[in-house]
Amino acid sequence: MNTAELRTALRGLEIFAQLTEDQLDWLASVSDPRVLADGEVLFRDGEEATGFHVLLSGGLVVTKVVDGREEVLTRHSTEEESAAAEDHDGKPSAAHRFTGELPLLTDGSYVATASASGPATTVVAYPKPVFFEMLTRCHGVAAVLIPVLAWRIKSSEVQARKRATVEALGTLAAGLAHELNNPAAAVARAAQELAPALDRLTATACAWGAAAAGAERPVLDRLAEELDKLPPPDTTDPLAQADAEEEIADWAEEAGAERPGLLGSGAADLGLELGWLLERLEGIGEAALPAALDHLAALLEARSLAAELRAAGPRISQLVSATRDYANLDRAPEQRFSVPDGLENTLIVLRSKLPGVTIVREYEAGLPELDGYPSELNQVWTNLVDNAAEAMEGSGTLTLRVRAEGACLVVEITDTGRGIPADSLPRIFEPFYTTKDVGKGTGLGLHLSYRIVTQRHRGSITARSKPGETRMVVRLPLNAAAACAEPPVGGEPASTP
C-alpha cells in the first residue's frame, strides 16, 4: 500500500474524517500497515498494551477466556452490512474500525484477545507514544474516540453484570445442590427403610405381646417413655461407641435376639451402654427376653429413622429459605433488609468453597435494618467472600464484622490469605484491572461491587492489605438520604476508589 492509497484509506475512516491535510500527512507518515492471515493474533489478553489498532480492511474478532470458556465479546468489520447490523444496539458507528484505546488510556494490559477474521485483514498499529501525540495533534480524533470509549465501558459493565448474574445463579445452584445432598439423601434413605422398619415394629410388637406376662409388659413401656426424655447424646469417642455397640450386640445374641446388631447400633447411637439396658430390663423373664430385645431393636430403628427425617426436613427448609432470601425472589427490588442475614445466606451459598476455612462472626447486637437493594448487595458479599476464599487457597480464617458507627453501618470482611500486592492495591476497583491469572477474572467484579455500594447505596468500599491479612470495608448509610465515606486512617496501605 503506497502513501496515496494509505491517505485515502485513512481519510475514509470516521475517526480521521475531520483531519486537516497536514494532520493527515503526519498520520500517514507514522502509519505502518500490517496484513494479517486468517486467525492470526493481533494482541493477547493480559499482554502489556503497546498500540492503538485501526482496521483498514477485513475483520477482527475480540474474544476473552472466562473460567475456561472462550467468549466472543465483539466483532470489528469493514463490511457495511456488519456495521449497520451492530449500530441498532447503540454502538457508535465508528466503534467497529479501531480497538486498543482503553488499555492505553488506563496504562494497563489488553483485556481480551483480538484475531484476524477472514483473509487479507489489514490493520495499522500506532505505538503508545504516537497514540497520545495523535490525541494532542488531532483534536477531531478525540471527538470520535470518547463516545466509543464511553460505550465500550458501559457495554462491558452490562456484560459483566449479566455474567455476574449468571455466575451468581451458577454458584447458587452449585451451593444449593451441595448442601441439599446430605439431607436429601437422608430423607430418601429413611423413606426407603421406613416401611420395612414399621413392618418389623408391628411383627415384634405382636411377638412381644404374646410372649410377655402381665407384669412384664409395663417394663418396655417405661423404657420407651424414658427414651423419649433422653437428652441428645454427647459427642463420644468413636472407639468407645463401637465397643458399647459390640458389647450390647454380643449380649443380645447370647440372650436369643434375632437382630442383635440392630439393637447394638440403635442403643449405641443414643449413647447407651449395656449396664443401662440391664438395669431397665429387670423384671423380664428369660423366656420373654428375646421378644423384648427384638421389639426394642425395632423401636430404636423406627425412632432413628424418624429422627433423621425430623433433622433433614428443617435443614432443607432452611436451605430453601436461605436461597430465596439470597436471590430475593418474589420481592420488590428495594426493601428493608438485615445485612447480617445477607452475609449468612451468602455463607450458606458458598459453603462448598469454604471447607477448610474457619469462619468468625462478630455482629454487633441490635443492628438496625437498612433500606436498599439486598440482592445487589448479596452480589457484593459473594464477590468479596469468594475472593477471600480464593486468596486463602482452602485454609485460613474468614472474619465477618458488622457494627454501627455514627451514621453508617460498617461491614468488614477479613481473610488471612496471601494479600494484595502494594502496587496493585490502589487499582483493584478500576474497571478491567485484575490480579488474577489470564482467564480467571474479568477485572470487573470489584468495580461492579464499587458501583453497587457507592452509586446504588451511597456508601463506600475500601481495601487494606498486607501479607496474611486483607480487610475489605464497606460502609452503608443508616439513613437512605445520607451518604457514607471512608474516614481518614493511618496504618497499612489502603485502596479508596
Side-chain angles (χ1 to χ4, degrees), residues 356-367:
V357 174
T358 300
I359 299 175
V360 178
R361 299 167 173 85
E362 297 179 6
Y363 301 154
E364 188 177 275
L367 289 170

Side-chain angles (χ1 to χ4, degrees), residues 20-70:
T20 66
E21 293 302 317
D22 289 342
Q23 290 171 338
L24 195 61
D25 287 339
W26 172 82
L27 186 65
S29 70
V30 295
S31 298
D32 183 17
R34 174 185 171 190
V35 179
L36 303 177
D38 186 21
E40 185 176 349
V41 174
L42 178 61
F43 55 78
R44 295 186 184 277
D45 186 7
E47 290 181 347
E48 180 183 357
T50 58
F52 173 62
H53 304 277
V54 177
L55 181 64
L56 296 183
S57 64
L60 292 172
V61 59
V62 180
T63 61
K64 186 174 183 66
V65 176
V66 180
D67 295 331
R69 302 185 305 273
E70 186 177 56

Side-chain angles (χ1 to χ4, degrees), residues 389-466:
E390 182 176 328
M392 290 186 287
E393 298 179 337
S395 64
T397 300
L398 177 68
T399 303
L400 307 178
R401 297 186 180 94
V402 186
R403 68 181 184 276
E405 188 177 280
C408 300
L409 194 71
V410 181
V411 181
E412 293 186 2
I413 298 178
T414 306
D415 68 75
T416 57
R418 57 182 175 268
I420 302 171
D423 58 343
S424 298
L425 191 59
R427 303 189 59 190
I428 60 173
F429 295 107
E430 293 180 9
F432 308 108
Y433 185 82
T434 179
T435 59
K436 298 179 181 179
D437 294 336
V438 174
K440 292 188 177 181
T442 62
L444 285 170
L446 286 177
H447 175 66
L448 290 178
S449 296
Y450 164 70
R451 293 282 297 271
I452 290 170
V453 171
T454 61
Q455 296 188 15
R456 297 284 278 174
H457 293 87
R458 297 173 60 83
S460 68
I461 178 171
T462 58
R464 304 182 182 281
S465 186
K466 57 185 178 182

Side-chain angles (χ1 to χ4, degrees), residues 154-341:
K154 181 179 179 180
S155 177
S156 296
E157 289 186 352
V158 170
Q159 291 179 359
R161 281 186 178 274
K162 292 179 179 178
R163 188 182 297 112
T165 300
V166 172
E167 289 176 353
L169 291 174
T171 299
L172 182 63
L176 184 61
H178 182 272
E179 292 300 314
L180 281 176
N181 184 57
N182 287 339
V187 169
R189 187 182 70 82
Q192 183 178 8
E193 296 181 2
L194 192 57
L198 291 177
D199 290 341
R200 284 190 290 271
L201 183 62
T202 302
T204 57
C206 293
W208 163 242
E216 294 174 323
R217 291 173 186 167
V219 175
L220 279 190
D221 293 338
R222 290 193 296 270
L223 178 54
E225 291 177 1
E226 190 168 355
L227 289 175
D228 289 334
K229 300 176 182 178
L230 284 178
D234 295 331
T235 302
T236 58
D237 182 353
L239 293 178
Q241 182 176 339
D243 290 342
E245 178 179 341
E246 184 178 0
E247 187 178 16
I248 294 171
D250 290 344
W251 168 76
E253 185 176 14
E254 292 178 3
E258 291 186 3
R259 299 175 65 85
L262 185 62
L263 178 62
S265 61
D269 286 345
L270 294 176
L272 307 181
E273 297 180 349
L274 179 58
W276 189 92
L277 282 179
L278 292 176
E279 181 180 343
R280 283 151 183 80
L281 291 173
E282 288 182 1
I284 297 179
E286 184 176 344
L289 185 58
L293 296 180
D294 288 336
H295 183 51
L296 179 58
L299 179 63
L300 290 175
E301 180 185 24
R303 290 169 60 89
S304 175
L305 293 173
E308 287 188 27
L309 290 173
R310 284 196 301 271
R315 177 59 179 155
I316 292 174
S317 297
Q318 178 192 19
L319 290 170
V320 172
S321 176
T323 302
R324 183 189 65 242
D325 292 342
Y326 176 84
N328 283 279
L329 300 177
D330 302 323
R331 298 188 182 186
E334 185 174 8
Q335 58 186 273
R336 289 193 67 78
F337 62 95
S338 165
V339 168
D341 286 351

